[in-house]
Amino acid sequence: MSAHCQLTGAKPGFGNNISHSHRRTSRRFDPNIQRKRYWLPSEGRHVRLTLSARAIKTVDAIGIEAAVARIRALGGKV
């Protein structure tokens, strides 16, 4: 599972760990990605989405129908 949100497009960010002696090593900041299953009443089936925690809250606010419409508008497959 890639660390990529289908709704918000959140992806890992990259940066450096900096030690006490100020040496730098690479690191990544992963988004909080979850796989969540929703019932899609218009199609009479369940859909499984890969969403960030923030996107799950967005789906709760706008509804699953609007969220799926946004994902499809972005070119995502549901």
Side-chain angles (χ1 to χ4, degrees):
M1 173 173 65
S2 67
H4 180 264
C5 177
Q6 289 180 295
L7 184 60
T8 62
K11 294 179 183 176
F14 295 89
N16 292 308
N17 282 323
I18 302 180
S19 70
H20 180 69
S21 63
H22 216 66
R23 290 177 59 101
R24 295 163 189 251
T25 56
S26 289
R27 63 161 296 176
R28 47 188 268 172
F29 298 89
D30 286 327
N32 185 5
I33 298 293
Q34 310 291 326
R35 282 182 56 93
K36 191 144 169 65
R37 195 175 134 198
Y38 290 98
W39 173 252
L40 194 58
S42 64
E43 298 181 16
R45 67 185 182 103
H46 285 95
V47 292
R48 190 176 299 275
L49 301 176
T50 305
L51 301 172
S52 63
R54 187 178 72 187
I56 291 172
K57 294 175 189 175
T58 302
V59 171
D60 291 343
I62 67 173
I64 185 63
E65 298 287 347
V68 167
R70 281 190 195 180
I71 291 170
R72 288 182 174 151
L74 293 170
K77 185 179 176 186
V78 177

